[in-house]
Amino acid sequence: KNEVEQSPQNLTAQEGEFITINCSYSVGISALHWLQQHPGGGIVSLFMLSSGKKKHGRLIATINIQEKHSSLHITASHPRDSAVYICAVRRGSARQLTFGSGTQLTVLP
Amino acid sequence: DTGVSQDPRHKITKRGQNVTFRCDPISEHNRLYWYRQTLGQGPEFLTYFQNEAQLEKSRLLSDRFSAERPKGSFSTLEIQRTEQGDSAMYLCASSFEGLNTEAFFGQGTRLTVV
């Protein structure tokens, strides 16, 4: 079993819909990251969380440390949000990230 | 500073050849990471440097792989005697020192071994 599991693997939405992507992890962590990857490979960091909730524009990320679960929400989705969204955790005192397999999001106009 | 840059962006090589990739991190960052990503999967950790010291290597990093970071600036990742299974996106990231610092990623080098 992977240490970081994401769901769903693929998600298609209509423009304007509210989107939720889930991430569960099975190890102790010091931080959880949400990242966005567009075709071509480049990865952009969206959020780094160790507790609670963060908001940036139409994006909201939450984490429940006790339940080892995080969610990424996108409000009023837009076709330009189409990308792969990846959850990654930093285990304990480790320096590197452990990644989930990503969620492919497609937002249709 | 334009962020983390990787060169080349794409590399096609024949099986058995050696290839070398370069990563230029953000200049103030003393940590540098290499990850490998295969199609449909998330990145997997290969190795990490703090300044010029290679502090950790994944078991994914076989004897055919070697990474260096001379002078603690740019880094190179060399794969010797490439195999088809080496085909992947190789990603470099850099960050400041500290437990929970943000990592900045390059665009990656996509390797295809034919």
Side-chain angles (χ1 to χ4, degrees):
Chain A
K1 187 176 188 300
N2 291 337
E3 292 177 343
V4 182
E5 298 275 357
Q6 286 186 236
S7 64
Q9 280 189 300
N10 294 282
L11 180 56
T12 301
Q14 289 295 136
E15 183 173 356
E17 284 185 4
F18 180 83
I19 288 163
T20 296
I21 300 170
N22 295 300
C23 175
S24 296
Y25 54 92
S26 57
V27 295
I29 67 169
S30 57
L32 182 143
H33 297 247
W34 282 102
L35 307 138
Q36 181 191 56
Q37 186 172 32
H38 281 282
I43 292 178
V44 174
S45 178
L46 299 175
F47 294 104
M48 184 172 64
L49 294 162
S50 54
S51 65
K53 175 179 173 178
K54 287 190 176 180
K55 183 176 189 292
H56 186 260
R58 296 179 295 106
L59 302 178
I60 303 166
T62 64
I63 188 168
N64 185 318
I65 296 294
Q66 286 73 30
E67 295 186 4
K68 291 187 165 61
H69 181 269
S70 176
S71 294
L72 177 68
H73 305 284
I74 305 175
T75 61
S77 59
H78 190 276
R80 66 174 174 265
D81 296 327
S82 298
V84 175
Y85 291 84
I86 305 175
C87 171
V89 301
R90 196 179 302 276
R91 302 177 60 186
S93 60
R95 301 293 182 258
Q96 70 272 23
L97 295 173
T98 301
F99 292 79
S101 56
T103 295
Q104 173 69 63
L105 171 65
T106 303
V107 181
L108 302 174
Chain B
D1 196 340
T2 55
V4 180
S5 64
Q6 293 188 244
D7 183 71
R9 292 290 309 278
H10 303 274
K11 178 72 177 178
I12 299 174
T13 191
K14 290 185 178 179
R15 191 174 50 184
Q17 297 293 306
N18 299 346
V19 292
T20 300
F21 311 141
R22 177 179 170 124
C23 171
D24 287 89
I26 293 172
S27 56
E28 303 86 8
H29 288 177
N30 57 359
R31 287 194 182 152
L32 186 148
Y33 308 81
W34 285 99
Y35 293 91
R36 182 174 71 183
Q37 185 179 26
T38 53
L39 203 60
Q41 299 299 313
E44 295 174 293
F45 170 72
L46 292 178
T47 189
Y48 119 82
F49 291 84
Q50 180 150 318
N51 301 312
E52 66 277 5
Q54 188 173 19
L55 294 187
E56 191 165 344
K57 292 195 289 187
S58 161
R59 56 186 165 78
L60 291 177
L61 215 65
S62 76
D63 292 344
R64 296 184 297 105
F65 288 70
S66 62
E68 293 182 340
R69 193 182 182 197
K71 302 177 185 177
S73 55
F74 71 92
S75 176
T76 57
L77 178 67
E78 180 183 17
I79 309 174
Q80 296 182 325
R81 305 181 303 281
T82 51
E83 301 172 356
Q84 286 190 315
D86 297 331
S87 297
M89 175 75 82
Y90 290 83
L91 291 159
C92 176
S94 70
S95 72
F96 286 112
E97 186 171 351
L99 186 56
N100 283 323
T101 55
E102 186 179 359
F104 293 81
F105 285 81
Q107 292 290 308
T109 294
R110 182 169 295 284
L111 173 67
T112 303
V113 182
V114 297

